[in-house]
């Protein structure tokens, strides 16, 4: 849309007037942000209306992306980028004496997710809108997002994330699209005169699901899709029934808070309530909208695609069956065929403890009708497959087993497609986690390697780099990231390489300024910025990185006279509040950081900054400043990773195990431009098969490693008596579940190599350039295009 800064200023001042009836000078950053948000809503409102109308008029097939987590990040700058209004707003504001950055930082960051899964959902929403796919998000409007993290004496402390305190300018409450979700009570089927079985409910606990819609703006294409987040409320009582406070709380508790675990199924009834709440509300509203615009249910599979983001929304399968059977008089076979045509499922983890199963008793009590349908799905699955695959396979793959409802199995059986998120992960699904179901439905399994939206993670997060790329190869890459490859020839261009170094320098200054201001730690910007940003989990091995820091620390302490290549180690990591071991590692990380940062002998040769409250907005500040991308998970454990792709696209070189998408990064950019190390997945599985891993052997065989481990328990590191012992024992006594000691030697070997190579900046920048140039391979637009073609069968814009 064409907008002059004069027009913008006029509109902005009138928005301030309308909202606050006071002079601009009397308004706060948050008020100015809200006014800007309202302005964007006004400028984009027609596009949103037009988009919905166009989809209806063209009967366009809709994709519904169900995810219990969405991590959209701040939306003001992102929407302005997609509307091509960013520079106008920035100019207009500076002409009014205001700074866009300062105001945009007043926007709360909606932390409605834990990590990779939630952020991927947000990247894919952005990509679907930018590819003109009718992509609708479906999730939960948590009143409180992921906890705010602070460190008290080095320990993680969780604070409530009251993100809606100042409202949410981007959402629209849609009362007339509400629906009722039932819980508990009794259900029975009564034969109707026409022989049809009608479901009857009594004593159910009815909850009103109220949708809040957020616009998802496509990139320069006048498309605005919808992210629908459901909120639980008491139904407007027809009979003026009195609801006790307890009853009120029971209902609002459903969407009160996000479960902060990202790899350990809570197994709590409230979590099952949450999963059923947004799954049922979502499917009801989809079928309602479908029936308003279509009269032939047989067309459902041609007009609707529902994607199940991990097992958390799996209840959409029996819910769709319930609606088709109970409210649309479909026969079982017709309903089942339609359901499978519509449903597709993505698995995001192979960790056993993350694969959801629900005790049948809890499931049956809370969801009686849904349980009846799951029982029938199980019965028909067993009857169908038993003759072919035999009792053992059927017992190991049916949805019901060992007193549990096995959600991953139900998701596979009820979907026409099952995909992993990186080639190794998909292989492990076929050969390990879902091996038996792969035998039954081999044709359903496929791989869809993850992707990231370059619009947020390069264009927005790294304007210096984006500007340099524009002046070098033009702006074509902004619409088609594969065109970043046109940078490859500039490996020989010293001027360009120097400009690339300056861009990295600029981003380091920005990060150093934040760290100085918020943590009081002074960082030099000619150091190697060695970054590890992800949830705290034993398999992600932040511990291995800490051991490298201790190695560097002892080296300087032993030889203070020796020159070293200065390093800044940057961490961002939240631990699930119930994950004790992870919280112990956080305490150790902060203790080591204090010891290193306060040691005069070390000075500024080595710094460790563990930035609290890591999330999307901090990632946008840290990633552009990184030189080294720590992707050091135990091979086979990280399904894909996506921070690895973001860091690559911003010119960091990957210090990476042969795990998840690291393998693809090393392949695409070339191993010579990365630092691969460690056991392969096959070697890890070999240890499992032979049970011959003895961590203590590595401890005893390597004096350097022994010194590091002993420092956990011998008082070298202040204040880690308890956690030091706990971690030491987890390695030596409990045999190091994630092979930290086995990978220590090759890891530190590569760390030494990095210190050596970094001194040759032209070559380093050449390798950084190759990472940037080849990162287009991991664009969310390409990934989503593959989902559209192979799984959802919907048309999409070509990347021009
Ligand atoms: C039930 C608790 C729970 C909550 C969240 C279990 C599992 C999850 C998510 C599946 C965990 C997650 O975020 N997995 C990450 O998904 C990313 C996107 O595909 C991958 O890149 C990461 O490798 C994977 O760990």
């Amino acid at each position: 849309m064409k907008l002059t800064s004069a027009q913008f200023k006029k509109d902005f001042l009138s928005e301030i007037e309308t909202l606050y009836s006071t002079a601009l000078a009397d308004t706060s950053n948050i008020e100015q942000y809200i006014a800007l948000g309202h302005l964007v809503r006004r400028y984009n409102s027609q596009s949103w209306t037009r988009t919905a109308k166009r989809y209806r008029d063209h009967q366009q097939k809709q994709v519904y992306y169900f995810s219990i987590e969405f991590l959209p990040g701040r939306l003001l700058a992102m929407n302005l980028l997609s509307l091509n209004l960013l520079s106008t707003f920035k100019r207009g504001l500076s002409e009014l004496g205001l700074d866009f950055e300062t105001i945009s930082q007043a926007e709360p960051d909606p932390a409605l997710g834990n990590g990779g899964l939630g952020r991927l959902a947000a990247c894919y929403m952005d990509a679907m809108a930018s590819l003109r796919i009718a992509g609708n998000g479906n999730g939960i409007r948590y009143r409180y997002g992921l906890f705010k993290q602070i460190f008290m004496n080095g320990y993680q402390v969780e604070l409530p994330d009251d993100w809606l305190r100042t409202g949410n300018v981007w959402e629209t409450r849609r009362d007339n699209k509400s629906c009722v979700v039932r819980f508990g009570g009794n259900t029975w089927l009564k034969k109707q005169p026409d022989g049809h079985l009608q479901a009857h409910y009594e004593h159910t606990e009815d909850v009103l699901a109220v949708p809040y819609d957020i616009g998802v703006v496509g990139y320069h294409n006048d498309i605005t899709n919808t992210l629908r987040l459901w909120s639980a409320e008491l139904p407007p009582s027809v009979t003026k029934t009195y609801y006790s406070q307890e009853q009120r709380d029971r209902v609002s508790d459903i969407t009160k808070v996000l479960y902060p675990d990202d790899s350990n199924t809570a197994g709590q009834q409230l979590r099952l309530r949450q999963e059923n709440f947004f799954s049922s509300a979502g499917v009801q509203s989809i079928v309602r909208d479908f029936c308003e615009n279509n009269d032939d249910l047989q067309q459902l599979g041609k007009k609707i695609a529902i994607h199940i983001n991990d097992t958390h929304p799996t209840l959409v399968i029996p819910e769709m069956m319930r609606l088709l059977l109970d409210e649309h008089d479909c026969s079982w076979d017709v309903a089942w065929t339609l359901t499978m045509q519509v449903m597709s499922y993505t698995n995001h983890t192979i960790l056993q403890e993350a694969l959801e199963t629900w005790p049948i008793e809890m499931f049956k009590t809370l969801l009686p009708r849904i349980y009846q349908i799951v029982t029938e799905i199980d019965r028909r699955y067993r009857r169908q497959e038993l003759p072919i695959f035999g009792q053992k396979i059927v017992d190991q793959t049916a949805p019901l087993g060992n007193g549990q409802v096995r959600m991953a199995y139900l998701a596979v059986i009820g979907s026409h497609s099952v995909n992993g998120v990186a080639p190794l992960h998909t292989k492990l699904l076929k050969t390990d986690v879902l091996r038996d179901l792969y035998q039954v439905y081999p044709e359903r399994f496929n791989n869809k390697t993850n992707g990231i939206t370059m619009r947020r993670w390069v264009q927005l997060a790294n304007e210096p780099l984006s500007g340099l790329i524009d002046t070098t190869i033009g702006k074509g890459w902004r619409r088609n990231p594969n065109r970043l490859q046109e940078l490859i020839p500039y490996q020989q261009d010293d001027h360009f390489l120097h400009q690339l170094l300056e861009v990295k320098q600029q981003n380091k200054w920005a990060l150093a300024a934040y760290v100085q201001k918020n943590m009081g730690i002074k960082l030099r910007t000619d150091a190697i910025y060695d970054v590890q940003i992800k949830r705290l989990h034993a398999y992600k091995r932040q511990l291995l990185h800490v051991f490298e820091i201790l190695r560097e620390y002892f080296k300087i302490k032993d030889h203070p006279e020796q020159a070293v290549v200065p390093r800044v180690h940057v961490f961002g990591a939240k631990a699930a509040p119930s994950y004790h071991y992870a919280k112990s590692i956080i305490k150790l990380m902060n203790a080591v950081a204090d010891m290193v940062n306060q040691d005069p002998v070390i000075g500024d040769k080595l710094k460790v900054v563990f930035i609290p409250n890591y999330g999307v907005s901090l990632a946008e500040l840290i990633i552009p400043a990184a030189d080294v991308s720590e992707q050091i998970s135990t091979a086979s454990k990280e399904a894909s990773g996506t921070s690895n792709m973001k860091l690559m696209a911003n010119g960091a070189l990957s210090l990476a195990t042969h795990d998840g998408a690291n393998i693809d990064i090393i392949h695409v950019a070339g191993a010579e431009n990365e630092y691969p190390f460690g056991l392969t997945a096959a070697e890890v599985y070999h240890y499992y098969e032979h049970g011959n891993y003895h961590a203590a052997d590595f401890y005893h065989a390597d004096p350097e490693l022994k010194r590091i481990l002993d420092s956990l328990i011998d008082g070298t590191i202040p204040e880690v008596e308890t956690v030091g012992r706990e971690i030491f024992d987890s390695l030596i006594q409990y045999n190091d579940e994630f092979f930290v000691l086995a990978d220590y030697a090759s890891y530190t070997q590569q760390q030494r190599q990095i210190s050596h190579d970094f001194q040759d900046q032209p070559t380093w920048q050449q390798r950084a350039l190759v990472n940037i140039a080849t990162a287009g391979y991991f664009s969310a637009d390409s990934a989503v295009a593959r989902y559209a073609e192979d799984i959802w069968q919907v048309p999409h814009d070509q990347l021009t």
Side-chain angles (χ1 to χ4, degrees):
M1 94 175 247
K2 285 283 143 276
L3 179 75
T4 63
S5 68
Q7 182 61 45
F8 159 74
K9 285 186 282 185
K10 189 165 155 301
D11 294 345
F12 176 54
L13 292 173
S14 84
E15 200 67 43
I16 290 281
E17 183 67 33
T18 316
L19 286 169
Y20 302 107
S21 311
T22 180
L24 177 61
D26 301 340
T27 57
S28 64
N29 287 342
I30 186 83
E31 288 163 338
Q32 292 158 7
Y33 152 68
I34 290 169
L36 290 174
H38 278 286
L39 208 46
V40 173
R41 292 286 311 268
R42 181 145 52 94
Y43 289 153
N44 190 53
S45 54
Q46 288 175 0
S47 156
W48 202 356
T49 318
R50 263 198 307 271
T51 302
K53 183 173 181 322
R54 190 181 305 119
Y55 290 158
R56 232 186 348 270
D57 297 353
H58 298 159
Q59 292 267 323
Q60 188 163 340
K61 183 172 183 180
Q62 302 280 311
V63 175
Y64 294 90
Y65 197 93
F66 278 68
S67 183
I68 201 165
E69 303 185 12
F70 283 96
L71 275 173
R74 290 179 172 136
L75 288 174
L76 179 61
M78 188 65 196
N79 288 344
L80 289 172
L81 178 89
S82 296
L83 291 169
N84 202 9
L85 292 174
L86 194 51
S87 50
T88 309
F89 270 54
K90 285 185 174 179
R91 195 172 49 255
L93 287 168
S94 65
E95 287 163 5
L96 291 168
L98 297 173
D99 170 54
F100 177 80
E101 289 312 319
T102 311
I103 296 173
S104 64
Q105 274 157 28
E107 176 176 0
D109 188 337
L112 308 181
N114 280 284
L117 172 124
R119 181 55 229 179
L120 186 86
C123 279
Y124 282 6
M125 288 300 297
D126 176 65
M128 287 194 277
S130 300
L131 290 176
R132 289 176 191 281
I133 292 173
N136 308 272
N138 197 77
I140 295 179
R141 180 181 181 267
Y142 300 103
R143 181 65 190 76
Y144 294 92
L146 185 63
F147 61 85
K148 284 196 177 318
Q149 177 194 50
I150 59 168
F151 295 135
M152 304 275 281
N153 184 20
Y155 288 98
Q156 171 180 294
V157 172
E158 301 89 20
L159 301 176
D161 170 44
D162 188 6
W163 73 289
L164 285 170
R165 200 166 53 74
T166 54
N168 175 12
V169 69
W170 304 112
E171 69 181 7
T172 298
R173 180 185 167 99
R174 299 240 191 260
D175 273 302
N176 63 344
K177 297 291 183 183
S178 300
C179 42
V180 172
V181 177
R182 291 195 189 92
F183 292 98
N186 308 317
T187 304
W188 68 97
L189 297 174
K190 211 158 71 184
K191 202 171 234 18
Q192 302 304 305
D194 65 356
H196 174 71
L197 286 174
Q198 183 55 50
H200 286 270
Y201 299 84
E202 67 168 6
H203 311 317
T204 55
E205 195 191 336
D206 296 359
V207 174
L208 187 69
V210 180
Y212 287 73
D213 288 354
I214 294 170
V216 180
V217 182
Y219 185 70
H220 299 185
N221 65 359
D222 193 41
I223 290 284
T224 300
N225 283 342
T226 301
L227 167 58
R228 176 162 284 182
L229 301 179
W230 296 91
S231 181
E233 293 179 15
L234 279 167
S237 65
V238 279
T239 57
K240 294 280 163 280
T241 344
Y242 167 73
Y243 290 112
S244 68
Q245 191 51 44
E246 191 271 331
Q247 278 176 310
R248 288 174 190 289
D249 294 347
R250 246 174 94 70
V251 166
S252 59
D253 281 358
I254 294 172
T255 54
K256 175 161 278 174
V257 66
L258 165 77
Y259 269 83
D261 310 82
D262 88 325
S263 64
N264 207 331
T265 170
Q268 285 157 16
Q269 199 208 60
L270 178 57
R271 173 73 172 193
L272 182 54
R273 273 174 182 276
Q274 291 185 334
E275 295 187 359
N276 185 62
F277 174 75
F278 87 103
S279 301
S280 172
V283 172
Q284 289 188 57
S285 74
I286 289 168
V287 173
R288 177 185 57 206
D289 293 356
F290 174 84
C291 293
E292 275 160 15
N293 303 299
N294 301 272
D295 41 28
D296 177 6
L297 258 177
Q298 292 294 339
Q299 294 303 307
L300 198 68
K302 294 196 179 41
K303 297 295 178 194
I304 306 275
I306 290 180
H307 200 72
I308 305 170
N309 198 27
D310 213 85
T311 56
H312 318 133
T314 300
L315 292 172
V316 292
I317 293 169
E319 176 69 6
M320 180 64 86
M321 288 298 287
R322 181 183 73 84
L323 293 176
L324 296 176
L325 294 168
D326 297 358
E327 298 181 10
H328 295 275
D329 305 344
C330 288
S331 71
W332 182 276
D333 293 339
V334 168
W336 187 244
T337 307
L338 290 174
T339 298
M340 275 183 37
Q341 280 173 0
V342 165
M343 302 294 176
S344 51
Y345 157 61
T346 295
N347 173 286
H348 294 268
T349 181
I350 66 160
L351 297 180
Q352 212 50 42
E353 67 266 27
L355 298 177
E356 291 187 298
T357 65
W358 294 104
I360 286 178
E361 277 325 300
M362 178 198 288
F363 195 98
K364 188 193 299 192
T365 313
L366 192 67
L367 309 168
R369 179 62 184 136
I370 293 294
Y371 178 66
Q372 284 171 347
I373 291 169
V374 171
T375 308
E376 184 60 11
I377 292 171
D378 181 271
R379 187 183 70 79
R380 287 171 181 259
Y381 169 77
R382 288 173 181 275
R383 188 185 61 193
Q384 168 138 345
E385 306 304 344
L386 189 62
I388 308 161
F389 295 97
Q391 194 63 49
K392 188 163 167 297
I393 292 284
V394 160
D395 287 344
Q396 284 167 190
T397 55
L400 300 178
N402 319 329
Q404 301 284 319
V405 183
R406 304 183 286 195
M407 302 311 274
Y409 299 172
L410 179 58
V412 172
I413 290 166
S415 296
H416 68 271
S417 166
V418 179
N419 74 280
V421 291
L424 172 62
H425 171 60
T426 300
K427 186 169 104 20
L428 292 171
L429 290 180
K430 295 174 178 178
T431 58
D432 182 355
V433 193
L434 297 173
R435 180 186 56 245
D436 300 330
L437 271 167
Y438 177 60
Q439 277 189 43
V440 180
Y441 302 123
E443 74 290 351
R444 296 183 189 181
F445 283 69
N446 61 92
N447 178 62
K448 296 287 174 286
T449 300
N450 280 166
I452 59 167
T453 174
M454 300 298 176
R455 288 169 286 273
R456 180 176 290 273
W457 297 109
V458 178
Q459 293 193 48
L460 217 51
N462 200 339
E463 289 186 350
L465 177 62
S466 302
L468 174 59
I469 298 172
D470 286 348
T471 51
T472 310
I473 59 170
K475 294 188 173 192
W477 69 277
R478 288 176 180 266
R479 192 173 282 287
N480 180 0
N482 290 318
R483 298 190 58 184
L484 286 166
Q485 304 220 29
E486 295 162 23
L487 287 169
I488 291 288
Y490 290 87
Q491 283 178 78
Q492 318 318 327
D493 179 323
D494 292 347
H495 177 55
F496 176 83
L497 296 177
H498 186 70
Q499 289 175 300
L500 200 55
L501 170 59
E502 282 175 339
V503 160
K504 186 59 72 176
Q505 214 57 41
Q506 214 176 322
N507 292 321
K508 287 179 178 179
W509 281 325
L511 179 58
Y514 175 90
V515 169
Q516 176 71 60
K517 180 161 168 277
N518 294 278
M519 303 175 73
I521 300 173
K522 185 164 178 16
L523 302 179
R524 54 193 294 176
T525 56
D526 61 344
I528 299 174
Y529 278 41
D530 184 336
V531 170
Q532 188 171 19
I533 43 175
K534 50 191 75 237
R535 286 294 296 253
L536 207 296
H537 198 290
Y539 85 79
K540 295 174 186 278
R541 302 200 295 188
Q542 282 88 354
L543 192 57
L544 187 54
H545 190 167
V546 170
F547 289 174
E548 164 63 15
I549 293 169
L550 289 169
R551 183 189 70 81
E552 292 171 14
Y553 172 76
F554 291 139
K555 187 162 171 287
I556 297 169
K557 291 288 275 188
D558 297 350
H559 311 287
E561 73 295 345
Q562 264 177 14
V564 296
V565 178
R567 283 254 187 160
V568 171
H569 294 273
V570 180
F571 289 103
K574 286 181 178 179
S578 58
Y579 192 172
H580 177 80
Y581 184 67
K583 295 176 94 166
S584 297
I585 292 176
I586 284 182
K587 171 58 181 173
L588 174 68
M589 291 162 72
N590 281 319
V592 169
D594 292 349
M595 176 180 76
V596 169
N597 296 342
Q598 289 149 22
D599 188 318
V601 176
I602 303 297
D604 64 0
K605 292 176 186 161
L606 183 60
K607 286 293 179 198
V608 181
V609 277
F610 189 169
I611 305 178
N613 205 35
Y614 174 67
V616 175
S617 297
L618 261 177
E620 291 171 23
L621 176 68
I622 297 168
I623 288 170
D627 297 305
V628 175
S629 163
E630 296 263 358
Q631 308 297 336
I632 62 177
S633 54
T634 310
S636 82
K637 301 301 178 194
E638 189 71 83
S640 161
T642 45
S643 71
N644 47 7
M645 299 165 183
K646 295 159 190 168
L647 287 153
M648 177 195 196
N650 283 275
L653 279 53
S654 296
L655 174 52
T657 51
H658 309 282
D659 195 18
N662 300 349
I663 296 168
D664 309 275
I665 288 173
I666 293 162
H667 175 71
V668 165
E672 71 281 6
N673 296 310
E674 313 297 348
Y675 291 92
F677 76 95
L679 295 169
T680 62
E683 289 164 333
V684 166
Y685 272 69
H686 188 271
Y687 270 129
Y688 289 152
E689 272 132 41
H690 297 84
N692 58 348
Y693 175 59
H694 306 296
D697 297 354
F698 292 86
Y699 166 73
H700 294 297
D702 180 340
E704 181 188 82
L705 179 56
K706 183 175 185 314
R707 180 185 182 182
I708 288 167
L709 262 63
D710 291 347
S711 73
L712 300 181
I713 55 173
D714 64 10
T716 304
I717 306 165
E719 292 211 18
V720 295
E721 292 69 28
T722 18
V723 299
R725 170 51 66 183
E726 179 193 351
I727 294 164
F728 182 91
D729 291 351
S730 74
L731 300 170
I732 301 304
Q733 208 167 337
Y734 302 109
N735 205 32
D736 180 17
E737 181 183 359
F738 294 104
F739 305 93
V740 172
L741 305 194
D743 277 347
Y744 174 81
S746 62
Y747 172 66
T748 51
Q749 170 45 43
Q750 287 292 43
Q751 285 283 25
R752 277 190 285 272
Q753 189 63 45
I754 286 170
S755 290
H756 172 269
D757 296 351
F758 192 76
Q759 296 164 80
D760 170 0
Q761 271 303 305
T763 308
W764 185 276
Q765 292 310 325
Q766 273 179 342
R767 298 162 75 193
L769 178 155
V770 174
N771 275 277
I772 295 167
T774 54
Y777 178 88
F778 299 103
S779 157
D781 296 7
S782 313
V784 163
R786 287 188 284 268
Y787 275 87
E789 289 151 20
D790 303 351
I791 299 177
W792 303 328
Q793 279 87 38
V794 292
H796 63 82
D797 267 13
Q798 292 311 315
L799 302 176
T800 50

